[in-house]
Amino acid sequence: MSDLATQKKHRMLEKASKNFLLLPPVSIGRKEMIITLPSDVRNQIIKRLMERGDPVKGVDFRVRLFGADHDTFFKPQVLAPRAALRTFMDNVGTPTGRKIKGRKASSDRALPVGRLTDYLEKSKALIKAADGPFNDFCSHYDEHLQVGRESVDHNFPFLVNWGGEMVPVSEVISHKKFTPDLAHFRKAFYVELPVPRRMTLSDFSDLNLPADVLDKWAEQELAAVEEQLDNAKERLIEKALKLLKRVNDQLDKDPDKLKLYDTLITDAAALSESLKGMVEGYDPSDLQLRNAAVLIQEKIGSIESTDVWRNSTEARQETLRAVKAAGKVFTASKKIIEKKRAKSAPVAASVADDLMTECGMLADIL
């Protein structure tokens, strides 16, 4: 790579490192509150059932500690709001690790700096939405447990030997080994939002070290930033290709066999914004990828409803043409990223320059 090209690339990466934040993985605690009765208790229950002539096969020894309240209160008040928070966190930003079979990818996610405020507001609102019903559930914790105890005694109306004493099965499950007290229950359902990190580029210029060492360190840091951004870009492209396949599979059918879902539209709109944010923050010269993102928004993400496709052959064909055009750009973009990785030395041209060669101008494809 020429000195001029190297400097241009360095400036682009230094600027990009300030356009994105890294979101470390969020930690959201949960406890299923379902246990399996101990083997010695199970054996005693089986013996009692056989003595009564009751069937043993198919007996479920898993116990919901809240009984019927598990589905009525625990799921909607505790588990569901935390699942919504987890879903949001799993989709905010873009993963910076590659998907490689047999290896765990980095779980840090790249988020454009301009979207940080929205991320903080939404995460705060979701946490608040989870805390309210959770606190309400906790205020009736003992009552919910009582429902579970009554349920297990109804299902297994026997005394069993537990710790040398003959006790109801409900007393077994009430042991602290199986049922946490309220304080430990609360502690199990924590939410920890780590502080976002910068894609830091260290300044070693004030160190009294050989210039070649400092240059090597700077190159390594820039390479790490480039790898993170390329990985994030590739993950978005892979997501886009999956979306286009969904659209193609649903639209390329006889009208009477169409099964259309509104998530096609909402997913396309969200993905288009993410792709445009990646281009603007990383490589603004990548006009091909940006135009493909705009095309997805216009031909899929902006559709008023799936009825437009259901009622118009022309609208379906127009969207399918856009799918084909955008798919060529995304496939070419992915190949270029893979080609960059395969080379031992950094590429001289930007991704946008290679895209012209790989797939041609988007307007020509359309």
Side-chain angles (χ1 to χ4, degrees), residues 191-222:
V191 177
E192 295 177 357
L193 292 182
V195 177
R197 300 188 287 109
R198 295 186 62 179
M199 285 186 170
T200 308
L201 292 173
S202 305
D203 183 7
F204 301 112
S205 60
D206 59 340
L207 298 180
N208 187 20
L209 292 171
D212 60 334
V213 172
L214 297 177
D215 288 344
K216 183 178 180 180
W217 287 356
E219 283 290 336
Q220 288 175 339
E221 289 214 321
L222 285 170

PDB file of all heavy atoms in Angstrom, residues 191-222:
ATOM      1  N   VAL A 191     -30.261  -6.920  36.762  1.00  0.00           N
ATOM      2  CA  VAL A 191     -29.970  -6.381  35.432  1.00  0.00           C
ATOM      3  C   VAL A 191     -28.733  -5.504  35.559  1.00  0.00           C
ATOM      4  O   VAL A 191     -28.706  -4.572  36.353  1.00  0.00           O
ATOM      5  CB  VAL A 191     -31.144  -5.544  34.868  1.00  0.00           C
ATOM      6  CG1 VAL A 191     -30.753  -4.946  33.522  1.00  0.00           C
ATOM      7  CG2 VAL A 191     -32.398  -6.395  34.731  1.00  0.00           C
ATOM      8  N   GLU A 192     -27.702  -5.819  34.780  1.00  0.00           N
ATOM      9  CA  GLU A 192     -26.466  -5.042  34.811  1.00  0.00           C
ATOM     10  C   GLU A 192     -26.162  -4.526  33.415  1.00  0.00           C
ATOM     11  O   GLU A 192     -25.884  -5.302  32.497  1.00  0.00           O
ATOM     12  CB  GLU A 192     -25.308  -5.905  35.323  1.00  0.00           C
ATOM     13  CG  GLU A 192     -25.458  -6.342  36.773  1.00  0.00           C
ATOM     14  CD  GLU A 192     -24.328  -7.259  37.220  1.00  0.00           C
ATOM     15  OE1 GLU A 192     -23.464  -7.582  36.367  1.00  0.00           O
ATOM     16  OE2 GLU A 192     -24.314  -7.657  38.392  1.00  0.00           O
ATOM     17  N   LEU A 193     -26.235  -3.208  33.268  1.00  0.00           N
ATOM     18  CA  LEU A 193     -25.904  -2.571  32.002  1.00  0.00           C
ATOM     19  C   LEU A 193     -24.483  -2.029  32.088  1.00  0.00           C
ATOM     20  O   LEU A 193     -24.236  -1.045  32.790  1.00  0.00           O
ATOM     21  CB  LEU A 193     -26.865  -1.422  31.697  1.00  0.00           C
ATOM     22  CG  LEU A 193     -28.321  -1.755  31.395  1.00  0.00           C
ATOM     23  CD1 LEU A 193     -29.084  -0.492  31.062  1.00  0.00           C
ATOM     24  CD2 LEU A 193     -28.410  -2.731  30.244  1.00  0.00           C
ATOM     25  N   PRO A 194     -23.530  -2.637  31.395  1.00  0.00           N
ATOM     26  CA  PRO A 194     -22.156  -2.134  31.455  1.00  0.00           C
ATOM     27  C   PRO A 194     -22.024  -0.798  30.725  1.00  0.00           C
ATOM     28  O   PRO A 194     -22.820  -0.483  29.835  1.00  0.00           O
ATOM     29  CB  PRO A 194     -21.342  -3.228  30.767  1.00  0.00           C
ATOM     30  CG  PRO A 194     -22.316  -3.911  29.870  1.00  0.00           C
ATOM     31  CD  PRO A 194     -23.653  -3.829  30.548  1.00  0.00           C
ATOM     32  N   VAL A 195     -21.043  -0.039  31.104  1.00  0.00           N
ATOM     33  CA  VAL A 195     -20.803   1.261  30.471  1.00  0.00           C
ATOM     34  C   VAL A 195     -20.245   1.034  29.061  1.00  0.00           C
ATOM     35  O   VAL A 195     -19.323   0.231  28.875  1.00  0.00           O
ATOM     36  CB  VAL A 195     -19.791   2.084  31.303  1.00  0.00           C
ATOM     37  CG1 VAL A 195     -19.488   3.406  30.604  1.00  0.00           C
ATOM     38  CG2 VAL A 195     -20.339   2.318  32.707  1.00  0.00           C
ATOM     39  N   PRO A 196     -20.802   1.707  28.053  1.00  0.00           N
ATOM     40  CA  PRO A 196     -20.259   1.570  26.693  1.00  0.00           C
ATOM     41  C   PRO A 196     -18.784   1.972  26.652  1.00  0.00           C
ATOM     42  O   PRO A 196     -18.341   2.833  27.412  1.00  0.00           O
ATOM     43  CB  PRO A 196     -21.113   2.539  25.867  1.00  0.00           C
ATOM     44  CG  PRO A 196     -22.390   2.664  26.642  1.00  0.00           C
ATOM     45  CD  PRO A 196     -21.983   2.589  28.081  1.00  0.00           C
ATOM     46  N   ARG A 197     -18.029   1.338  25.761  1.00  0.00           N
ATOM     47  CA  ARG A 197     -16.604   1.630  25.616  1.00  0.00           C
ATOM     48  C   ARG A 197     -16.333   2.279  24.261  1.00  0.00           C
ATOM     49  O   ARG A 197     -17.064   2.059  23.299  1.00  0.00           O
ATOM     50  CB  ARG A 197     -15.771   0.345  25.713  1.00  0.00           C
ATOM     51  CG  ARG A 197     -15.924  -0.395  27.018  1.00  0.00           C
ATOM     52  CD  ARG A 197     -14.928  -1.543  27.102  1.00  0.00           C
ATOM     53  NE  ARG A 197     -15.280  -2.669  26.240  1.00  0.00           N
ATOM     54  CZ  ARG A 197     -14.639  -3.023  25.145  1.00  0.00           C
ATOM     55  NH1 ARG A 197     -13.632  -2.289  24.689  1.00  0.00           N
ATOM     56  NH2 ARG A 197     -15.007  -4.088  24.453  1.00  0.00           N
ATOM     57  N   ARG A 198     -15.283   3.032  24.224  1.00  0.00           N
ATOM     58  CA  ARG A 198     -14.841   3.605  22.951  1.00  0.00           C
ATOM     59  C   ARG A 198     -13.987   2.585  22.213  1.00  0.00           C
ATOM     60  O   ARG A 198     -13.370   1.710  22.814  1.00  0.00           O
ATOM     61  CB  ARG A 198     -14.006   4.865  23.174  1.00  0.00           C
ATOM     62  CG  ARG A 198     -14.773   6.012  23.798  1.00  0.00           C
ATOM     63  CD  ARG A 198     -13.920   7.264  23.855  1.00  0.00           C
ATOM     64  NE  ARG A 198     -13.532   7.718  22.534  1.00  0.00           N
ATOM     65  CZ  ARG A 198     -12.802   8.807  22.307  1.00  0.00           C
ATOM     66  NH1 ARG A 198     -12.385   9.555  23.305  1.00  0.00           N
ATOM     67  NH2 ARG A 198     -12.486   9.168  21.083  1.00  0.00           N
ATOM     68  N   MET A 199     -13.971   2.700  20.890  1.00  0.00           N
ATOM     69  CA  MET A 199     -12.995   1.950  20.101  1.00  0.00           C
ATOM     70  C   MET A 199     -11.670   2.698  20.240  1.00  0.00           C
ATOM     71  O   MET A 199     -11.300   3.518  19.406  1.00  0.00           O
ATOM     72  CB  MET A 199     -13.423   1.880  18.631  1.00  0.00           C
ATOM     73  CG  MET A 199     -14.543   0.916  18.374  1.00  0.00           C
ATOM     74  SD  MET A 199     -14.870   0.754  16.604  1.00  0.00           S
ATOM     75  CE  MET A 199     -15.980  -0.639  16.589  1.00  0.00           C
ATOM     76  N   THR A 200     -10.992   2.444  21.348  1.00  0.00           N
ATOM     77  CA  THR A 200      -9.855   3.279  21.724  1.00  0.00           C
ATOM     78  C   THR A 200      -8.655   3.056  20.827  1.00  0.00           C
ATOM     79  O   THR A 200      -8.278   1.921  20.527  1.00  0.00           O
ATOM     80  CB  THR A 200      -9.446   2.980  23.181  1.00  0.00           C
ATOM     81  OG1 THR A 200     -10.602   3.093  24.007  1.00  0.00           O
ATOM     82  CG2 THR A 200      -8.385   3.944  23.649  1.00  0.00           C
ATOM     83  N   LEU A 201      -8.059   4.164  20.428  1.00  0.00           N
ATOM     84  CA  LEU A 201      -6.765   4.153  19.752  1.00  0.00           C
ATOM     85  C   LEU A 201      -5.784   4.871  20.673  1.00  0.00           C
ATOM     86  O   LEU A 201      -5.881   6.076  20.892  1.00  0.00           O
ATOM     87  CB  LEU A 201      -6.846   4.866  18.399  1.00  0.00           C
ATOM     88  CG  LEU A 201      -7.699   4.162  17.338  1.00  0.00           C
ATOM     89  CD1 LEU A 201      -7.835   5.044  16.098  1.00  0.00           C
ATOM     90  CD2 LEU A 201      -7.060   2.833  16.959  1.00  0.00           C
ATOM     91  N   SER A 202      -4.854   4.129  21.243  1.00  0.00           N
ATOM     92  CA  SER A 202      -3.928   4.701  22.222  1.00  0.00           C
ATOM     93  C   SER A 202      -2.947   5.654  21.564  1.00  0.00           C
ATOM     94  O   SER A 202      -2.567   5.491  20.400  1.00  0.00           O
ATOM     95  CB  SER A 202      -3.157   3.578  22.929  1.00  0.00           C
ATOM     96  OG  SER A 202      -4.049   2.655  23.510  1.00  0.00           O
ATOM     97  N   ASP A 203      -2.542   6.650  22.323  1.00  0.00           N
ATOM     98  CA  ASP A 203      -1.538   7.620  21.860  1.00  0.00           C
ATOM     99  C   ASP A 203      -0.215   7.302  22.553  1.00  0.00           C
ATOM    100  O   ASP A 203      -0.053   7.525  23.744  1.00  0.00           O
ATOM    101  CB  ASP A 203      -2.000   9.046  22.189  1.00  0.00           C
ATOM    102  CG  ASP A 203      -1.013  10.086  21.651  1.00  0.00           C
ATOM    103  OD1 ASP A 203      -0.073   9.696  20.932  1.00  0.00           O
ATOM    104  OD2 ASP A 203      -1.193  11.276  21.964  1.00  0.00           O
ATOM    105  N   PHE A 204       0.717   6.746  21.779  1.00  0.00           N
ATOM    106  CA  PHE A 204       2.026   6.385  22.333  1.00  0.00           C
ATOM    107  C   PHE A 204       3.097   7.424  22.003  1.00  0.00           C
ATOM    108  O   PHE A 204       4.273   7.199  22.257  1.00  0.00           O
ATOM    109  CB  PHE A 204       2.480   5.026  21.769  1.00  0.00           C
ATOM    110  CG  PHE A 204       1.547   3.901  22.054  1.00  0.00           C
ATOM    111  CD1 PHE A 204       0.834   3.288  21.019  1.00  0.00           C
ATOM    112  CD2 PHE A 204       1.372   3.428  23.342  1.00  0.00           C
ATOM    113  CE1 PHE A 204      -0.024   2.235  21.283  1.00  0.00           C
ATOM    114  CE2 PHE A 204       0.517   2.369  23.609  1.00  0.00           C
ATOM    115  CZ  PHE A 204      -0.180   1.777  22.577  1.00  0.00           C
ATOM    116  N   SER A 205       2.688   8.541  21.429  1.00  0.00           N
ATOM    117  CA  SER A 205       3.663   9.495  20.902  1.00  0.00           C
ATOM    118  C   SER A 205       4.569  10.093  21.970  1.00  0.00           C
ATOM    119  O   SER A 205       5.669  10.543  21.673  1.00  0.00           O
ATOM    120  CB  SER A 205       2.932  10.625  20.154  1.00  0.00           C
ATOM    121  OG  SER A 205       2.049  11.300  21.027  1.00  0.00           O
ATOM    122  N   ASP A 206       4.110  10.132  23.232  1.00  0.00           N
ATOM    123  CA  ASP A 206       4.930  10.741  24.282  1.00  0.00           C
ATOM    124  C   ASP A 206       5.876   9.739  24.943  1.00  0.00           C
ATOM    125  O   ASP A 206       6.588  10.082  25.894  1.00  0.00           O
ATOM    126  CB  ASP A 206       4.025  11.363  25.362  1.00  0.00           C
ATOM    127  CG  ASP A 206       3.100  10.340  26.004  1.00  0.00           C
ATOM    128  OD1 ASP A 206       2.887   9.288  25.383  1.00  0.00           O
ATOM    129  OD2 ASP A 206       2.616  10.607  27.117  1.00  0.00           O
ATOM    130  N   LEU A 207       5.885   8.498  24.443  1.00  0.00           N
ATOM    131  CA  LEU A 207       6.775   7.492  25.008  1.00  0.00           C
ATOM    132  C   LEU A 207       8.119   7.504  24.293  1.00  0.00           C
ATOM    133  O   LEU A 207       8.191   7.649  23.068  1.00  0.00           O
ATOM    134  CB  LEU A 207       6.154   6.095  24.885  1.00  0.00           C
ATOM    135  CG  LEU A 207       4.822   5.874  25.624  1.00  0.00           C
ATOM    136  CD1 LEU A 207       4.332   4.453  25.405  1.00  0.00           C
ATOM    137  CD2 LEU A 207       4.992   6.137  27.116  1.00  0.00           C
ATOM    138  N   ASN A 208       9.164   7.325  25.059  1.00  0.00           N
ATOM    139  CA  ASN A 208      10.518   7.325  24.500  1.00  0.00           C
ATOM    140  C   ASN A 208      10.852   5.926  24.015  1.00  0.00           C
ATOM    141  O   ASN A 208      11.603   5.176  24.652  1.00  0.00           O
ATOM    142  CB  ASN A 208      11.520   7.790  25.563  1.00  0.00           C
ATOM    143  CG  ASN A 208      12.916   7.963  24.979  1.00  0.00           C
ATOM    144  OD1 ASN A 208      13.081   8.104  23.763  1.00  0.00           O
ATOM    145  ND2 ASN A 208      13.924   7.927  25.844  1.00  0.00           N
ATOM    146  N   LEU A 209      10.271   5.571  22.888  1.00  0.00           N
ATOM    147  CA  LEU A 209      10.470   4.249  22.308  1.00  0.00           C
ATOM    148  C   LEU A 209      10.840   4.392  20.833  1.00  0.00           C
ATOM    149  O   LEU A 209      10.548   5.422  20.205  1.00  0.00           O
ATOM    150  CB  LEU A 209       9.191   3.416  22.438  1.00  0.00           C
ATOM    151  CG  LEU A 209       8.788   2.998  23.861  1.00  0.00           C
ATOM    152  CD1 LEU A 209       7.395   2.383  23.843  1.00  0.00           C
ATOM    153  CD2 LEU A 209       9.798   1.999  24.424  1.00  0.00           C
ATOM    154  N   PRO A 210      11.461   3.351  20.262  1.00  0.00           N
ATOM    155  CA  PRO A 210      11.818   3.413  18.838  1.00  0.00           C
ATOM    156  C   PRO A 210      10.602   3.655  17.963  1.00  0.00           C
ATOM    157  O   PRO A 210       9.514   3.127  18.238  1.00  0.00           O
ATOM    158  CB  PRO A 210      12.430   2.030  18.577  1.00  0.00           C
ATOM    159  CG  PRO A 210      12.910   1.564  19.902  1.00  0.00           C
ATOM    160  CD  PRO A 210      11.941   2.118  20.902  1.00  0.00           C
ATOM    161  N   ALA A 211      10.796   4.438  16.924  1.00  0.00           N
ATOM    162  CA  ALA A 211       9.691   4.794  16.042  1.00  0.00           C
ATOM    163  C   ALA A 211       9.048   3.574  15.408  1.00  0.00           C
ATOM    164  O   ALA A 211       7.825   3.518  15.241  1.00  0.00           O
ATOM    165  CB  ALA A 211      10.169   5.753  14.959  1.00  0.00           C
ATOM    166  N   ASP A 212       9.855   2.560  15.055  1.00  0.00           N
ATOM    167  CA  ASP A 212       9.280   1.387  14.394  1.00  0.00           C
ATOM    168  C   ASP A 212       8.370   0.607  15.345  1.00  0.00           C
ATOM    169  O   ASP A 212       7.371   0.014  14.928  1.00  0.00           O
ATOM    170  CB  ASP A 212      10.379   0.489  13.839  1.00  0.00           C
ATOM    171  CG  ASP A 212      11.329  -0.025  14.913  1.00  0.00           C
ATOM    172  OD1 ASP A 212      11.475   0.655  15.949  1.00  0.00           O
ATOM    173  OD2 ASP A 212      11.927  -1.101  14.711  1.00  0.00           O
ATOM    174  N   VAL A 213       8.690   0.632  16.654  1.00  0.00           N
ATOM    175  CA  VAL A 213       7.834  -0.037  17.647  1.00  0.00           C
ATOM    176  C   VAL A 213       6.502   0.693  17.761  1.00  0.00           C
ATOM    177  O   VAL A 213       5.434   0.085  17.770  1.00  0.00           O
ATOM    178  CB  VAL A 213       8.530  -0.096  19.023  1.00  0.00           C
ATOM    179  CG1 VAL A 213       7.563  -0.621  20.087  1.00  0.00           C
ATOM    180  CG2 VAL A 213       9.771  -0.971  18.950  1.00  0.00           C
ATOM    181  N   LEU A 214       6.581   2.031  17.856  1.00  0.00           N
ATOM    182  CA  LEU A 214       5.358   2.824  17.960  1.00  0.00           C
ATOM    183  C   LEU A 214       4.485   2.660  16.721  1.00  0.00           C
ATOM    184  O   LEU A 214       3.257   2.557  16.822  1.00  0.00           O
ATOM    185  CB  LEU A 214       5.710   4.302  18.163  1.00  0.00           C
ATOM    186  CG  LEU A 214       6.471   4.641  19.450  1.00  0.00           C
ATOM    187  CD1 LEU A 214       6.808   6.126  19.490  1.00  0.00           C
ATOM    188  CD2 LEU A 214       5.657   4.259  20.678  1.00  0.00           C
ATOM    189  N   ASP A 215       5.134   2.636  15.553  1.00  0.00           N
ATOM    190  CA  ASP A 215       4.385   2.462  14.305  1.00  0.00           C
ATOM    191  C   ASP A 215       3.693   1.097  14.268  1.00  0.00           C
ATOM    192  O   ASP A 215       2.543   0.977  13.821  1.00  0.00           O
ATOM    193  CB  ASP A 215       5.314   2.595  13.093  1.00  0.00           C
ATOM    194  CG  ASP A 215       5.769   4.040  12.873  1.00  0.00           C
ATOM    195  OD1 ASP A 215       5.124   4.943  13.457  1.00  0.00           O
ATOM    196  OD2 ASP A 215       6.745   4.245  12.143  1.00  0.00           O
ATOM    197  N   LYS A 216       4.401   0.070  14.757  1.00  0.00           N
ATOM    198  CA  LYS A 216       3.831  -1.275  14.754  1.00  0.00           C
ATOM    199  C   LYS A 216       2.613  -1.352  15.673  1.00  0.00           C
ATOM    200  O   LYS A 216       1.595  -1.938  15.326  1.00  0.00           O
ATOM    201  CB  LYS A 216       4.890  -2.279  15.194  1.00  0.00           C
ATOM    202  CG  LYS A 216       4.412  -3.723  15.156  1.00  0.00           C
ATOM    203  CD  LYS A 216       5.522  -4.677  15.567  1.00  0.00           C
ATOM    204  CE  LYS A 216       5.032  -6.127  15.538  1.00  0.00           C
ATOM    205  NZ  LYS A 216       6.110  -7.064  15.945  1.00  0.00           N
ATOM    206  N   TRP A 217       2.731  -0.740  16.858  1.00  0.00           N
ATOM    207  CA  TRP A 217       1.604  -0.728  17.785  1.00  0.00           C
ATOM    208  C   TRP A 217       0.408  -0.003  17.196  1.00  0.00           C
ATOM    209  O   TRP A 217      -0.741  -0.447  17.328  1.00  0.00           O
ATOM    210  CB  TRP A 217       2.018  -0.071  19.103  1.00  0.00           C
ATOM    211  CG  TRP A 217       2.921  -0.924  19.931  1.00  0.00           C
ATOM    212  CD1 TRP A 217       3.320  -2.196  19.661  1.00  0.00           C
ATOM    213  CD2 TRP A 217       3.555  -0.548  21.157  1.00  0.00           C
ATOM    214  NE1 TRP A 217       4.171  -2.654  20.632  1.00  0.00           N
ATOM    215  CE2 TRP A 217       4.328  -1.661  21.580  1.00  0.00           C
ATOM    216  CE3 TRP A 217       3.564   0.596  21.932  1.00  0.00           C
ATOM    217  CZ2 TRP A 217       5.088  -1.639  22.737  1.00  0.00           C
ATOM    218  CZ3 TRP A 217       4.315   0.616  23.112  1.00  0.00           C
ATOM    219  CH2 TRP A 217       5.063  -0.488  23.505  1.00  0.00           C
ATOM    220  N   ALA A 218       0.675   1.141  16.561  1.00  0.00           N
ATOM    221  CA  ALA A 218      -0.414   1.913  15.948  1.00  0.00           C
ATOM    222  C   ALA A 218      -1.104   1.099  14.854  1.00  0.00           C
ATOM    223  O   ALA A 218      -2.334   1.106  14.736  1.00  0.00           O
ATOM    224  CB  ALA A 218       0.129   3.224  15.379  1.00  0.00           C
ATOM    225  N   GLU A 219      -0.293   0.379  14.058  1.00  0.00           N
ATOM    226  CA  GLU A 219      -0.856  -0.453  12.997  1.00  0.00           C
ATOM    227  C   GLU A 219      -1.740  -1.554  13.575  1.00  0.00           C
ATOM    228  O   GLU A 219      -2.827  -1.849  13.056  1.00  0.00           O
ATOM    229  CB  GLU A 219       0.278  -1.080  12.170  1.00  0.00           C
ATOM    230  CG  GLU A 219       0.938  -0.136  11.181  1.00  0.00           C
ATOM    231  CD  GLU A 219       0.024   0.218  10.017  1.00  0.00           C
ATOM    232  OE1 GLU A 219      -0.901  -0.569   9.725  1.00  0.00           O
ATOM    233  OE2 GLU A 219       0.214   1.285   9.420  1.00  0.00           O
ATOM    234  N   GLN A 220      -1.278  -2.164  14.667  1.00  0.00           N
ATOM    235  CA  GLN A 220      -2.041  -3.246  15.284  1.00  0.00           C
ATOM    236  C   GLN A 220      -3.375  -2.737  15.831  1.00  0.00           C
ATOM    237  O   GLN A 220      -4.405  -3.419  15.713  1.00  0.00           O
ATOM    238  CB  GLN A 220      -1.219  -3.887  16.403  1.00  0.00           C
ATOM    239  CG  GLN A 220      -0.043  -4.719  15.893  1.00  0.00           C
ATOM    240  CD  GLN A 220       0.833  -5.243  17.018  1.00  0.00           C
ATOM    241  OE1 GLN A 220       0.822  -4.715  18.129  1.00  0.00           O
ATOM    242  NE2 GLN A 220       1.614  -6.274  16.729  1.00  0.00           N
ATOM    243  N   GLU A 221      -3.360  -1.553  16.431  1.00  0.00           N
ATOM    244  CA  GLU A 221      -4.604  -0.993  16.971  1.00  0.00           C
ATOM    245  C   GLU A 221      -5.573  -0.641  15.846  1.00  0.00           C
ATOM    246  O   GLU A 221      -6.773  -0.894  15.956  1.00  0.00           O
ATOM    247  CB  GLU A 221      -4.294   0.236  17.823  1.00  0.00           C
ATOM    248  CG  GLU A 221      -3.605  -0.096  19.131  1.00  0.00           C
ATOM    249  CD  GLU A 221      -4.015   0.850  20.238  1.00  0.00           C
ATOM    250  OE1 GLU A 221      -4.154   2.044  19.960  1.00  0.00           O
ATOM    251  OE2 GLU A 221      -4.215   0.387  21.365  1.00  0.00           O
ATOM    252  N   LEU A 222      -5.047  -0.058  14.778  1.00  0.00           N
ATOM    253  CA  LEU A 222      -5.906   0.263  13.641  1.00  0.00           C
ATOM    254  C   LEU A 222      -6.464  -1.011  13.003  1.00  0.00           C
ATOM    255  O   LEU A 222      -7.633  -1.051  12.597  1.00  0.00           O
ATOM    256  CB  LEU A 222      -5.126   1.070  12.597  1.00  0.00           C
ATOM    257  CG  LEU A 222      -4.876   2.541  12.942  1.00  0.00           C
ATOM    258  CD1 LEU A 222      -3.891   3.151  11.969  1.00  0.00           C
ATOM    259  CD2 LEU A 222      -6.180   3.322  12.925  1.00  0.00           C
TER     260      LEU A 222
END
